Amino acid sequence: IMLLTDPEVESSLLISSDEGATYQKYRLNFYINSLLFHPKKEDWILAYSQDQKLFSSVEFGRRWLLLHEQVAPNRFYWFVTVGRVCAQDLTCLGFVLFLSDAQYITCKMQNCSEATHGKPFPGYIDHNSLIVQDDYVFVQLTSGGRPHYYVSYRRNAFTQMKLPKYSLPKDMHVISTDENQVFAAVQEWNQNDTYNLYISDTRGVYFTLALENVKSSQGLEGNVMIDLYEVAGIKGMFLANKKIDNQVKTFITYNKGRDWSLLQAPNTDLRGNPVHCLLPYCSLHLHLKVSENPYTSGNIASRDTAPSIIVASGNIGTELSDKDISMFVSSDAGNTWRQIFEEEHSVLYLDQGGVLVAMKHTSLNLWVTVPLSVPDSVWCYLLLYAVSAVFCRVFGHFSHRSEWQLVKVDYKSIFDRRCEEEDYRPWQLHSQGEACIMGAKRIYRKRKSEKKCMQGKYAGAMTSEPCVCTEADFDCDYGYERHSNGQCLPAFWYNPSSLSKDCRLGQSYLNSTGYRKVVSNNCTDGVRERYTAKPQQCPGKAPQGLRIITSDGKLTAEQGHNVTFLVQLEEGDLQRSLIQVDFGDGIAMSYANLSSTEDGIKHIYQNVGIFRVTVMVENSLGSDNAVLYLHVTCPLEHVHLALPFVTTKNKEVNATAVLWPSQVGTLTYVWWFGNNTEPLITLEGSITFTFSVEGMNTITVQVSAGSTILQDTKTIAVYEQFQSLRLSFSPNLDDYNPDIPEWRRDISRVVKRALVEATGISSKHILVAVLPGLPSSAELFILPYRDATRENKRTSADLEQISERLIQKLNQNLVHFELKPGVRILVHAAHLTTAPLVDLTPSHSGSAMLMLLSVVFVGLAVFVIYKYLGFVGFSFLQKIPGLNIYAQMQNEKDQEMVSPVSQRESIPNIPQSELMSPEQLVDEKLEVQPIGK
């Protein structure tokens, strides 16, 4: 199969079924970015398009099915084996949706839809965290500011990876998944340029420390490079650069991190001079950067076909250095080393490791002396070779000005024949004389150094004999740490009895001895029985460490929705205990065994509030109790800040946050006044305050309900004196009044512009607020604006002149505006007001009551004012005691809820006890005085 992509022409596949003799062309309607073939069914392919879509084909690319759009690049894979995540079928696949959040999805490839999607994680996983490697699948989730890592072994259910309790990882990289074990590098909370190496059990769940403070660096593309190298051909052998007191030293292990040691430096240098380097003060240190190109070498190289040979660049001394770099080779798997060059070279393995070719980084120099028809100096950019061959290709140029050249170097002439059996000798793998490596004695065939025959194919190991198990074959189990005496003892945070917390009476569990055999270790007998975990009967225990939590770990829930509670015990058997749960809302339940609560205990709260949830677990040996306080809320949809549009300087003003819906549960209110940077936090939705500075001031309230925070901001004008007038409109405006805040705000702006045009009065003296309800009305405020010098302050006489001018134009029907083509609205001076109406509700549900109050209030106000003052004009704005209704501000928010009830039929929710009768209003003494008095 070949892919042809030409953005200007087409995208197509060329498919051959006769080993490339002939091809058939299939045109595609999408451009392929990458292909992933099924590991077992050769006709099945996944295709990732350039526009982030995932396609599948079960006909070798002849027909394609769109699986999903917006899939994360390189974050999809086939299910190879049967697992519980997907149905028991090899037709499963997994991928991550690349939306605003990454969501893990699994489904059957032939029936992949929203209805058939499986979701191993109910929420979202971190971007680019999906890793599929051998039998393991890894993902990362972040909660509470910390990353949490999950693993699926052989495509079974995901389990959270268990690191030591206080490792608190910031970053994790999977280094290796060879031999059914995970090697991971973890950067912990107190590390910056180093990582700790951890090694897992077979399932990749429980991790123990292998080596601390391994050096790390940033790659060219910003990726993290860990200074850890797995030696090819010898399982369990690693090299690592560890940072100790700001010095980097190279260590080696032969048993997967169970034991580490420094490298012994060569006894002599390249010229045969003695090297005085004594452990542990001086040792050999190696650069462990590998090449990203499999056909070229890096700073270190080894091959499966040459298991004893390691070539690397490094230095001798107290620490690893970037100066005085030489090349070293080991032919006995790292036990001894010798210097081969004083400068850095690239070293290639040919003839299955039977031939090593070295190339200096700046020019071509051959390690063996052979006649070559190659110039003495070639600037090399790329070196290609095959490990089974005896030739390599050099890609470069002879000088910076010459053309590119590809040179083939053939080494057949240095061999006189093919190798035979007598050309080899046995070689036993060992670690400083210890022959048992990973629980076995392994003997390899190596070509005798004096023989110049060509191997042709890998000779392989001759024999592998298991060893008797010793303590060195066992590492510390999860939760245990190795002490100076060599013993594995429980860490301070670990309780060994916790292994039995999920154990049921009558069953058994594996009781750890504190040790676990190194994975892939082949030792037998010896101390194996002593160190291996023992099956043990589950003990009968009284319930201890009882906890009740919600399934999502939150302390909030929504009214009318299922809440799932999980009951957990540190010790004891839930299935054989009586569980009693009181949900705190008058309902209690008892459970005779855990089988009915494996998926949690579900309950629905019909009311909002804080509920005390109690649980008691009891068996024949004792009991335990636990309490959870659950906040049940109703989703907060809207907040509306109600307060006067204008107020008097140094006079108390009441602001109220009106919520929709009104009952939402536990709330927190955060208030900001003017330019104050420090907020005021309350648990009440109303607050009283004063402003001591004249001008326009802002008030902001934020209401917090669970994870929801809503905000509203209003502006209030503050002056020592001002005047106000009620305005009315021609009746046809009511036909177009939807009674919502944004409409009232726009009409207020239009009316203000009409007043300015008709009177010539500066807009800085006028504020207009259209009030909620029908008939449509507004409040006009005349303000004593001051200029920047604060010298031209308006007096009460000035305000009276402005008022008279406004009234004159209003009475002459000179103030009007066009609502829409053919609809002309007149603005009139309605009547004198003793206080502006204030809206307490964010919706038009209070329209009818406000209209009713307006009529009653107007009648009483006119009666009282004519009785006491004897004239019709403007009044000082004064709040009437007992009336708790406020004027709508000009900058009301757009999110006000619109009630489905008719404007003319809706009634506000105002207690009758808060309203005065007409007789009470007449009897109440009104404090009315002219402006400026």
Side-chain angles (χ1 to χ4, degrees):
I1 183 170
M2 291 193 299
L3 173 66
L4 298 179
T5 301
D6 186 347
E8 296 182 358
V9 183
E10 63 181 4
S11 177
S12 58
L13 289 177
L14 296 181
I15 300 174
S16 172
S17 57
D18 53 6
E19 299 184 350
T22 60
Y23 284 89
Q24 188 170 358
K25 186 175 183 180
Y26 294 91
R27 188 170 297 177
L28 305 177
N29 59 0
F30 61 94
Y31 292 99
I32 295 179
N33 183 281
S34 61
L35 293 175
L36 181 66
F37 290 84
H38 194 282
K40 293 186 178 181
K41 296 181 180 291
E42 60 182 14
D43 291 344
W44 292 12
I45 312 173
L46 292 180
Y48 185 73
S49 68
Q50 295 180 3
D51 55 353
Q52 298 182 335
K53 296 178 181 179
L54 186 64
F55 296 84
S56 67
S57 174
V58 295
E59 300 178 42
F60 205 65
R62 294 176 176 87
R63 279 194 278 281
W64 293 90
L65 173 67
L66 175 62
L67 293 176
H68 214 289
E69 300 180 359
Q70 292 184 296
V71 175
N74 302 320
R75 295 296 184 270
F76 49 87
Y77 68 99
W78 293 103
F79 278 171
V80 180
T81 57
V82 176
R84 289 181 296 168
V85 176
C86 198
Q88 294 186 359
D89 195 328
L90 287 177
T91 66
C92 298
L93 57 95
F95 54 92
V96 178
L97 301 185
F98 195 62
L99 305 174
S100 57
D101 293 291
Q103 192 166 21
Y104 191 130
I105 297 297
T106 61
C107 67
K108 281 191 175 184
M109 190 215 31
Q110 293 175 322
N111 185 22
C112 191
S113 64
E114 290 291 339
T116 60
H117 281 172
K119 297 180 181 179
F121 300 96
Y124 302 100
I125 66 171
D126 295 350
H127 283 287
N128 296 326
S129 69
L130 175 66
I131 298 175
V132 182
Q133 198 164 309
D134 297 327
D135 286 338
Y136 302 90
V137 182
F138 305 91
V139 294
Q140 174 182 317
L141 289 82
T142 299
S143 63
R146 295 181 184 175
H148 302 279
Y149 304 94
Y150 290 80
V151 61
S152 167
Y153 177 60
R154 293 185 174 176
R155 309 308 188 255
N156 286 306
F158 280 89
T159 304
Q160 186 169 354
M161 298 163 65
K162 302 291 185 181
L163 293 165
K165 186 175 182 180
Y166 294 106
S167 64
L168 305 179
K170 296 189 297 186
D171 189 27
M172 176 185 288
H173 296 273
V174 176
I175 302 297
S176 170
T177 54
D178 293 342
E179 297 186 306
N180 295 323
Q181 191 173 35
V182 180
F183 223 136
V186 177
Q187 187 171 60
E188 302 189 10
W189 62 275
N190 56 350
Q191 294 177 307
N192 293 317
D193 58 350
T194 61
Y195 281 71
N196 289 347
L197 294 181
Y198 286 92
I199 196 164
S200 76
D201 61 347
T202 299
R203 295 189 303 128
V205 176
Y206 291 98
F207 285 78
T208 57
L209 182 65
L211 185 66
E212 291 183 297
N213 297 321
V214 178
K215 177 179 175 291
S216 68
S217 59
Q218 291 288 331
L220 296 177
E221 297 181 358
N223 54 317
V224 177
M225 308 292 291
I226 309 295
D227 271 23
L228 176 71
Y229 181 77
E230 184 175 7
V231 178
I234 302 178
K235 298 301 182 182
M237 183 177 174
F238 291 84
L239 291 160
N241 285 329
K242 178 179 179 180
K243 192 172 184 180
I244 305 175
D245 297 329
N246 293 323
Q247 290 185 329
V248 177
K249 301 175 183 289
T250 302
F251 287 79
I252 190 170
T253 180
Y254 293 89
N255 52 11
K256 283 194 172 181
R258 162 63 168 80
D259 301 290
W260 296 84
S261 59
L262 294 167
L263 296 180
Q264 177 65 59
N267 294 325
T268 60
D269 63 11
L270 187 61
R271 297 176 178 82
N273 300 319
V275 175
H276 302 286
C277 185
L278 298 177
L279 295 174
Y281 311 103
C282 174
S283 59
L284 175 65
H285 309 286
L286 304 177
H287 293 277
L288 304 180
K289 182 180 179 182
V290 298
S291 173
E292 297 181 0
N293 188 331
Y295 302 104
T296 61
S297 65
N299 296 108
I300 185 170
S302 61
R303 291 291 180 269
D304 289 330
T305 56
S308 62
I309 300 176
I310 310 170
V311 182
S313 63
N315 64 279
I316 299 172
T318 58
E319 63 176 325
L320 182 65
S321 172
D322 291 326
K323 299 179 180 178
D324 301 326
I325 297 177
S326 300
M327 297 297 298
F328 300 88
V329 65
S330 174
S331 57
D332 57 2
N335 285 278
T336 60
W337 298 80
R338 58 190 176 91
Q339 186 180 14
I340 54 176
F341 296 110
E342 290 182 334
E343 295 178 289
E344 204 166 4
H345 284 63
S346 294
V347 178
L348 309 179
Y349 289 66
L350 300 181
D351 187 31
Q352 306 293 357
V355 175
L356 299 183
V357 178
M359 175 177 287
K360 192 176 179 181
H361 280 187
T362 56
S363 62
L364 181 64
N365 291 303
L366 297 181
W367 191 10
V368 293
T369 305
V370 293
L372 297 173
S373 59
V374 178
D376 294 336
S377 179
V378 173
W379 296 89
C380 177
Y381 281 79
L382 184 62
L383 191 61
L384 303 177
Y385 69 101
V387 294
S388 61
V390 289
F391 64 87
C392 63
R393 292 183 176 90
V394 182
F395 183 59
H397 54 83
F398 300 128
S399 68
H400 287 301
R401 297 182 180 179
S402 67
E403 295 181 351
W404 292 98
Q405 302 289 333
L406 180 63
V407 179
K408 178 182 178 181
V409 184
D410 196 335
Y411 294 92
K412 286 183 181 179
S413 60
I414 68 174
F415 303 108
D416 50 16
R417 57 184 171 83
R418 289 273 184 178
C419 291
E420 299 179 356
E421 188 67 28
E422 59 268 17
D423 295 318
Y424 294 93
R425 64 178 177 85
W427 174 80
Q428 185 172 30
L429 175 66
H430 67 94
S431 169
Q432 300 301 322
E434 173 57 51
C436 287
I437 304 294
M438 292 292 288
K441 295 179 180 179
R442 281 174 279 178
I443 298 177
Y444 296 84
R445 293 199 317 169
K446 295 185 67 173
R447 192 185 60 184
K448 296 176 182 178
S449 58
E450 67 274 11
K451 302 295 183 179
K452 290 186 169 47
C453 58
M454 184 171 62
Q455 296 186 131
K457 63 179 181 178
Y458 175 47
M462 290 181 62
T463 61
S464 179
E465 178 184 346
C467 297
V468 174
C469 291
T470 66
E471 189 270 342
D473 296 307
F474 291 81
D475 204 351
C476 292
D477 203 353
Y478 175 77
Y480 291 81
E481 297 173 334
R482 190 176 301 280
H483 288 247
S484 57
N485 60 2
Q487 289 185 328
C488 293
L489 301 176
F492 76 93
W493 50 266
Y494 184 67
N495 178 15
S497 65
S498 64
L499 289 173
S500 63
K501 70 178 182 179
D502 296 327
C503 192
R504 297 175 181 176
L505 191 63
Q507 297 180 346
S508 62
Y509 71 101
L510 289 177
N511 187 15
S512 175
T513 62
Y515 299 84
R516 71 182 184 194
K517 193 171 75 166
V518 176
V519 175
S520 301
N521 188 292
N522 297 317
C523 72
T524 59
D525 301 328
V527 299
R528 179 178 180 180
E529 183 66 22
R530 186 199 316 171
Y531 287 114
T532 301
K534 307 295 190 300
Q536 185 170 323
Q537 287 296 117
C538 298
K541 295 182 179 180
Q544 290 186 17
L546 177 64
R547 294 179 61 211
I548 180 170
I549 61 174
T550 58
S551 59
D552 58 5
K554 298 179 180 179
L555 297 177
T556 60
E558 288 189 11
Q559 176 190 13
H561 288 71
N562 258 323
V563 184
T564 302
F565 296 99
L566 302 179
V567 179
Q568 300 174 345
L569 274 178
E570 287 294 330
E571 294 184 3
D573 186 1
L574 275 174
Q575 188 167 4
R576 295 178 180 268
S577 301
L578 177 65
I579 304 172
Q580 295 179 330
V581 181
D582 186 340
F583 298 103
D585 60 350
I587 299 176
M589 299 289 290
S590 296
Y591 302 88
N593 56 66
L594 189 63
S595 61
S596 61
T597 60
E598 288 179 351
D599 295 328
I601 301 172
K602 293 180 169 52
H603 185 67
I604 297 177
Y605 287 88
Q606 302 298 340
N607 300 307
V608 299
I610 304 177
F611 296 90
R612 187 176 187 265
V613 184
T614 60
V615 60
M616 183 183 74
V617 176
E618 182 179 15
N619 61 21
S620 59
L621 300 176
S623 63
D624 199 4
N625 298 275
V627 176
L628 172 72
Y629 292 93
L630 184 70
H631 295 241
V632 178
T633 63
C634 182
L636 181 60
E637 300 179 18
H638 173 72
V639 60
H640 164 74
L641 181 58
L643 74 163
F645 196 80
V646 183
T647 188
T648 307
K649 176 181 175 182
N650 294 325
K651 183 177 180 179
E652 283 191 349
V653 176
N654 180 270
T656 300
V658 183
L659 309 179
W660 177 263
S662 59
Q663 297 295 324
V664 294
T666 308
L667 301 173
T668 302
Y669 300 85
V670 185
W671 307 82
W672 282 270
F673 301 99
N675 295 324
N676 292 346
T677 58
E678 294 294 330
L680 179 65
I681 301 176
T682 68
L683 298 178
E684 298 294 333
S686 296
I687 194 170
T688 302
F689 56 92
T690 60
F691 284 104
S692 59
V693 179
E694 289 188 332
M696 304 303 293
N697 292 272
T698 59
I699 301 175
T700 298
V701 63
Q702 284 186 346
V703 183
S704 175
S707 60
T708 302
I709 298 179
L710 296 181
Q711 173 180 308
D712 193 15
T713 299
K714 290 292 190 296
T715 302
I716 184 171
V718 180
Y719 292 99
E720 290 184 354
Q721 55 183 358
F722 57 88
Q723 293 185 347
S724 65
L725 174 68
R726 178 64 57 81
L727 301 178
S728 62
F729 303 95
S730 51
N732 56 343
L733 181 61
D734 292 347
D735 297 334
Y736 302 95
N737 185 353
D739 203 12
I740 58 176
E742 56 267 35
W743 185 88
R744 294 195 292 268
R745 184 174 61 245
D746 289 338
I747 295 300
S748 297
R749 185 175 62 253
V750 171
V751 173
K752 179 178 178 178
R753 184 170 62 243
L755 287 168
V756 171
E757 292 175 354
T759 62
I761 299 173
S762 171
S763 62
K764 297 177 180 178
H765 290 292
I766 299 174
L767 287 179
V768 177
V770 175
L771 302 176
L774 294 173
S776 303
S777 62
E779 194 85 14
L780 168 63
F781 298 92
I782 297 92
L783 305 178
Y785 169 74
R786 301 179 183 180
D787 60 16
T789 62
R790 302 183 66 85
E791 294 178 356
N792 299 328
K793 180 180 179 181
R794 295 288 184 177
T795 63
S796 57
D798 295 331
L799 295 180
E800 290 178 1
Q801 291 179 2
I802 296 174
S803 302
E804 292 175 359
R805 192 170 172 183
L806 285 166
I807 293 174
Q808 181 183 7
K809 297 298 182 181
L810 288 166
N811 291 337
Q812 294 174 356
N813 293 331
L814 297 178
V815 181
H816 52 80
F817 62 91
E818 192 173 30
L819 185 66
K820 57 186 299 186
V823 180
R824 188 165 179 260
I825 307 298
L826 292 176
V827 184
H828 308 284
H831 50 76
L832 181 67
T833 60
T834 55
L837 293 180
V838 178
D839 181 25
L840 267 180
T841 63
S843 69
H844 63 274
S845 59
S847 304
M849 182 58 75
L850 288 173
M851 180 177 67
L852 175 61
L853 291 175
S854 300
V855 174
V856 174
F857 190 85
V858 167
L860 292 173
V862 172
F863 170 78
V864 172
I865 292 170
Y866 272 91
K867 179 178 179 181
Y868 289 97
L869 300 180
F871 69 93
V872 176
F874 287 82
S875 69
F876 179 73
L877 184 62
Q878 182 73 31
K879 180 181 176 182
I880 299 178
L883 188 60
N884 192 28
I885 305 175
Y886 296 93
Q888 189 81 334
M889 289 177 55
Q890 185 175 359
N891 62 337
E892 292 165 303
K893 296 297 180 183
D894 296 343
Q895 66 264 34
E896 181 179 69
M897 296 299 297
V898 179
S899 171
V901 182
S902 170
Q903 305 178 65
R904 305 177 189 274
E905 297 175 353
S906 58
I907 300 177
N909 185 18
I910 302 177
Q912 187 68 30
S913 57
E914 296 183 9
L915 300 178
M916 288 186 175
S917 65
E919 292 79 12
Q920 289 175 315
L921 287 172
V922 173
D923 295 336
E924 183 74 18
K925 182 178 180 180
L926 302 179
E927 297 180 2
V928 180
Q929 56 181 332
I931 293 178
K933 299 290 184 168

